[in-house]
């Protein structure tokens, strides 16, 4: 089992989340993703019931001790949601697609010496977060902004 090391992306490192893949955006222009901005999860591909690189996490038990979350930067969200308490996870069902979601946090995770970029999105439910494997989801056309 891989051990994850969390790094919150600050505004000075936000450039790593700028999409340089021109095929990811129809207009070909580079658009910046920021905490508090909005992204759209595109419809599932024909025959799919779930997204491939996007997961839905549901918090099932909240501990009494809360970790402070800075909603302007996303700082603390990963630790607050995933560290204390319990949660369930599943691939994002298609009923969540073709909608816009607010960016809650941008993270770089390190596992086995490799970096992975993750975008966390708020849903309309307090106990849910959407986990987007950023590079793969953009490459596969699952998310746009």
């Amino acid at each position: 089992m891989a051990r994850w090391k969390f790094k919150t992306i600050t505004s000075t490192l936000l450039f790593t989340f700028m999409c340089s893949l021109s095929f990811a955006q129809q207009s070909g222009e580079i658009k910046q993703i920021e905490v508090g901005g909005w992204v759209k999860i595109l419809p599932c591909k024909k025959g799919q019931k779930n997204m491939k690189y996007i997961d839905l996490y549901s918090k099932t038990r909240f501990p009494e001790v809360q970790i402070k979350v800075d909603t302007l930067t996303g700082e603390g969200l990963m630790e607050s949601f995933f560290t204390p308490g319990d949660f369930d996870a599943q691939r994002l069902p298609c009923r969540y697609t073709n909608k816009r979601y607010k960016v809650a946090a941008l993270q770089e995770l390190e596992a086995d010496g490799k970096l992975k970029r993750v975008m966390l999105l708020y849903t309309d439910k307090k106990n849910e977060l959407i986990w987007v494997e950023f590079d793969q989801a953009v490459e596969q056309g699952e998310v746009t902004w």
Side-chain angles (χ1 to χ4, degrees), residues 5-134:
K5 180 179 176 185
F6 301 117
K7 294 181 179 179
T8 300
I9 298 177
T10 62
S11 59
T12 58
L13 297 177
L14 191 56
F15 73 91
T16 61
F17 265 87
M18 291 179 64
C19 183
S20 60
L21 306 171
S22 61
F23 67 87
Q25 297 295 321
Q26 295 285 336
S27 65
E29 67 184 70
I30 295 175
K31 295 181 181 179
Q32 186 170 330
I33 297 176
E34 298 176 324
V35 172
W38 294 85
V39 297
K40 182 177 182 179
I41 297 179
L42 298 172
C44 287
K45 295 186 183 353
K46 188 175 181 178
Q48 286 184 321
K49 294 182 181 184
N50 303 303
M51 301 305 280
K52 188 171 181 180
Y53 296 104
I54 305 175
D55 298 322
L56 177 65
Y57 285 84
S58 301
K59 188 87 166 176
T60 56
R61 182 177 60 87
F62 292 89
E64 290 182 28
V65 177
Q66 297 293 321
I67 297 172
K68 187 176 179 179
V69 176
D70 183 341
T71 56
L72 295 177
T73 65
E75 186 89 26
L77 181 64
M78 181 79 79
E79 295 81 3
S80 174
F81 193 85
F82 294 104
T83 303
D86 299 318
F87 57 88
D88 291 329
Q90 64 177 331
R91 292 286 181 210
L92 187 73
C94 291
R95 70 178 180 273
Y96 282 80
T97 66
N98 206 24
K99 297 178 186 172
R100 290 175 12 114
Y101 295 94
K102 189 173 186 177
V103 177
L106 302 170
Q107 301 282 320
E108 282 187 343
L109 307 176
E110 188 177 309
D112 302 323
K114 296 179 183 177
L115 283 180
K116 179 187 291 194
R117 299 188 303 176
V118 173
M119 180 170 46
L120 299 175
L121 308 174
Y122 289 118
T123 71
D124 59 353
K125 296 179 183 174
K126 183 180 177 179
N127 70 319
E128 289 182 343
L129 279 179
I130 296 174
W131 174 291
V132 179
E133 302 280 335
F134 184 78

